[in-house]
């Protein structure tokens, strides 16, 4: 492995990330901004990582997919796939940022800007590690693919096209690592120390549209049930108890590992919960918020529409629902459940889009052990712990044919920093960029 002195001599990771942030690769604004910032980002990578582009094969997959291939010592072995995305979410111009969101300011030990944590920082540490290993003359024991997409935030097709391309070529990855968990402090009440939270599964996602029709007319003489009233009643029936709670195996393993680091009363409680998944499911459901989201499908009404004027009854009304589907359920079963819960034939339930929840990747295999050893190199104070992700990542296109898919960004993030993702003052610690690079070097050398 190159020494830390060699890596430090190369220097400038924060400045390189700053330059990445300065390119506003906002996928939600792709139509208005055009291809220019995205193409400029691709060219910037060529400039910042010359050895990567000299010695790895780069394939453009679609408009916004980048697939790098690093030949390993054993070409026939199943490859490692390291994923990230280089698009970012928009910025609300009314938000009060300490530094402009696309200035990439480096100050007070942090790199500020949209994408610093999600996901240009994690992308950078992958490329930093590969560039440094190439400079040292290192070749991995198995092939490595770097899969970078430019429209993850808009549920685009870049990562899907890359996954399909590999699958069509008969390539089944040995392991896939994408964004997801991070190194966090005090991950649960009464649990001491840091934990590297590795997503071993992720919930599915579905968008449902409810629609109802009614008699239009003047609002001065409304009927008993209007289109808006039907939709409002339907949404009101979809409360937190619409879906039954169940505890994924990954959550039980998480509790079991945490029990060893908690004080005695809390440790006994966590061990008991790990041994009794039905009790855990009921308890977490009662707690609400994130604990409840870990154990059941969630449903949220996100948009409603209907009507053209304040004094006119609309002839139709709609509502849009966002579902995050728990492991063990499906898009179809969740849609049926919503339809039954509404119980109104006058309300049409239409599936607009959906992606199935993943299977749970194992934690008793060589892949998870390698992640844990690499965490021990970059963040030796942290225990490596599995959990289930509530958000969707580009890796969902791989878990359909790859059994070992993990979601982890090797960066320490406090609760305050995690709150800046998609929010105000998003930033990453310069020292964490160094540790993230160290994680990926250890991972690649440990193949």
């Amino acid at each position: 492995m190159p020494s830390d002195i060699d890596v430090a001599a190369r220097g400038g990771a924060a400045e390189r990330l700053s330059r990445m942030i300065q390119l506003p690769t906002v996928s939600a604004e792709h139509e208005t901004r055009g291809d220019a910032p995205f193409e400029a980002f691709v060219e910037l990578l060529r400039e910042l990582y010359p050895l990567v582009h000299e010695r790895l094969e780069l394939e453009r997959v679609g408009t916004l997919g980048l697939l790098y291939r690093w030949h390993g010592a054993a070409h026939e072995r199943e490859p490692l796939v390291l994923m990230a995305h280089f698009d970012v979410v928009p910025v609300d111009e009314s938000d009060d940022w300490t530094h402009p969101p696309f200035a990439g300011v480096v100050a007070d030990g942090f790199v500020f800007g949209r994408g610093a944590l999600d996901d240009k920082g994690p992308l950078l540490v992958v490329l930093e590690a590969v560039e440094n290993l190439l400079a040292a003359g290192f070749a991995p024991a198995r092939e490595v693919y770097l899969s970078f997409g430019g429209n993850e935030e808009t549920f685009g097709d870049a990562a899907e096209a890359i996954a399909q391309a590999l699958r069509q070529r008969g390539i089944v990855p040995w392991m896939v690592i994408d964004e997801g968990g991070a190194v966090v402090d005090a991950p649960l009440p009464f649990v001491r120390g840091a934990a590297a939270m590795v997503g071993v599964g992720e919930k599915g996602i579905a968008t449902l549209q409810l629609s109802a029709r009614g008699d239009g007319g003047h609002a001065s003489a409304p009927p008993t049930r209007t289109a808006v009233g039907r939709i409002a009643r339907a949404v009101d029936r979809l409360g937190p108890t619409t879906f039954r709670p169940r505890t994924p195996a990954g959550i039980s393993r998480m509790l079991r590992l945490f029990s060893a680091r908690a004080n005695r009363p809390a440790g006994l409680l966590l061990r008991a919960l790990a041994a009794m998944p039905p009790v855990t499911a009921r308890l977490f459901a009662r707690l609400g918020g994130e604990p409840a989201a870990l154990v059941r499908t969630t449903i949220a009404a996100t948009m409603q529409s209907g009507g053209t004027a304040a004094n006119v009854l609309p002839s139709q009304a709609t509502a849009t629902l966002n579902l995050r589907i728990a492991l063990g359920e499906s898009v179809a079963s969740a849609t049926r459940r919503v339809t039954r819960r509404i119980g109104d034939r006058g309300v049409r339930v239409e599936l607009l889009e959906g992606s199935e929840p993943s299977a749970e990747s194992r934690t008793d295999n060589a892949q998870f052990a390698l992640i844990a050893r690499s965490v021990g190199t970059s963040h030796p104070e942290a225990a490596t712990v599995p959990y289930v992700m509530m958000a969707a990542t580009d890796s969902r296109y791989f878990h359909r044919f790859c059994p070992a898919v993990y979601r982890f960004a090797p960066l320490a993030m406090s609760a305050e920093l995690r709150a800046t993702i998609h929010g105000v003052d998003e930033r990453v610690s310069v020292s964490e960029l160094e540790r993230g690079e160290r994680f990926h070097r250890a991972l690649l050398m440990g193949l």
Side-chain angles (χ1 to χ4, degrees):
M1 179 181 294
S3 71
D4 289 336
I5 294 177
D6 293 335
V7 175
R10 185 168 170 265
E15 288 71 23
R16 285 186 282 278
L17 179 58
S18 170
R19 293 185 62 187
M20 291 183 185
I21 289 170
Q22 290 170 38
L23 296 173
T25 51
V26 183
S27 51
E29 300 170 357
H30 189 195
E31 288 189 7
T32 55
R33 292 182 183 269
D35 292 334
F38 297 88
E39 290 302 318
F41 188 88
V42 176
E43 290 306 310
L44 178 63
L45 295 186
R46 291 184 184 276
E47 175 190 341
L48 298 181
Y49 301 100
L51 293 180
V52 169
H53 289 82
E54 175 186 329
R55 301 183 191 175
L56 273 63
E57 298 173 6
L58 171 58
E59 177 183 355
R60 297 293 296 267
V61 181
T63 304
L64 295 172
L66 306 178
L67 182 62
Y68 295 84
R69 182 183 183 185
W70 190 4
H71 289 285
H75 294 286
E76 74 281 358
R77 298 186 67 184
E78 300 165 320
L80 166 69
V81 178
L82 300 177
M83 301 183 68
H85 64 87
F86 55 91
D87 64 315
V88 299
V89 296
V91 172
D92 186 333
E93 298 298 333
S94 66
D95 287 339
D96 185 21
W97 285 64
T98 302
H99 303 285
F102 293 110
V105 171
V106 182
D108 303 319
F110 290 89
V111 183
F112 286 77
R114 176 62 79 228
L117 290 173
D118 183 20
D119 190 36
K120 290 180 177 178
L123 183 149
L124 172 131
V125 297
V126 171
L127 287 171
E128 291 286 308
V130 174
E131 186 81 4
N132 288 329
L133 287 170
L134 289 170
F138 172 80
R142 64 175 72 236
E143 285 199 328
V144 175
Y145 285 91
L146 311 181
S147 172
F148 301 150
N151 54 13
E152 188 271 349
E153 298 291 2
T154 53
F155 299 100
D157 61 357
E160 182 178 19
I162 290 173
Q164 287 179 347
L166 293 182
R167 190 175 189 179
Q168 288 169 0
R169 297 166 193 173
I171 298 171
V172 178
W174 179 71
M175 176 168 63
V176 174
I177 301 180
D178 196 7
E179 64 173 334
V183 179
V184 303
D185 191 43
L188 286 179
F190 313 112
V191 175
R192 300 183 299 271
M197 304 300 297
V198 178
V200 296
E202 70 177 55
K203 300 176 78 172
I205 186 169
T207 302
L208 301 182
Q209 184 178 75
L210 310 183
S211 58
R213 301 195 65 86
D215 294 330
H218 201 281
S220 61
T224 302
R225 185 70 63 194
T226 65
V228 169
R230 280 188 180 277
I231 292 297
R233 185 177 65 174
V235 171
D236 187 58
R237 287 175 174 173
L238 299 172
T241 60
T242 298
F243 293 92
R244 296 186 182 91
R246 65 180 73 185
T247 304
I251 299 302
S252 295
R253 290 195 295 269
M254 178 188 76
L255 295 172
R256 193 176 305 114
L257 288 169
F258 280 150
S259 68
R261 309 186 75 193
N263 57 41
R264 181 172 174 77
L268 292 174
L269 173 62
L270 293 173
R271 277 195 293 276
L273 290 175
M276 296 184 291
V279 175
T280 301
R282 291 194 295 271
L283 174 61
F284 277 32
R286 288 193 176 188
L287 291 174
E290 288 192 0
L294 286 172
V295 297
R296 70 178 172 208
T297 295
T298 60
I299 183 168
T302 55
M303 295 189 293
Q304 289 182 281
S305 66
T308 57
N311 62 346
V312 177
L313 294 173
S315 59
Q316 64 176 357
T318 65
T320 301
L321 308 177
N322 181 268
L323 279 69
R324 300 302 170 111
I325 302 169
L327 277 64
E329 297 185 22
S330 69
V331 172
S333 66
T335 303
R336 288 194 299 269
R337 182 78 173 174
V338 167
T339 303
R340 287 197 301 269
R341 190 62 174 248
I342 291 172
D344 185 348
R345 293 184 178 180
V347 176
R348 181 187 180 197
V349 180
E350 181 184 3
L351 174 66
L352 299 184
E353 60 181 354
S355 178
E356 300 292 349
S358 74
E360 285 188 64
S361 296
R362 292 167 51 188
T363 59
D364 60 348
N365 54 10
Q367 291 92 327
F368 194 83
L370 175 58
I371 292 173
R373 289 197 303 273
S374 303
V375 168
T377 299
S378 62
H379 298 81
E381 74 283 5
T384 302
V385 179
Y387 84 115
V388 175
M389 276 196 64
M390 293 172 282
T393 70
D394 272 342
S395 70
R396 68 188 182 278
Y397 300 114
F398 280 91
H399 72 233
R400 298 168 186 171
F401 66 100
C402 175
V405 179
Y406 301 94
R407 302 146 187 92
F408 175 64
L411 305 171
M413 303 182 196
S414 64
E416 178 190 0
L417 285 180
R418 295 196 300 277
T420 69
I421 296 174
H422 291 201
V424 178
D425 278 352
E426 184 178 353
R427 62 195 184 276
V428 63
S429 167
V430 174
S431 63
E432 282 306 307
L433 297 178
E434 297 169 359
R435 298 177 87 182
E437 185 275 344
R438 196 175 302 138
F439 169 89
H440 282 294
R441 266 194 293 146
L443 185 85
L444 291 163
M445 296 196 70
L447 288 174

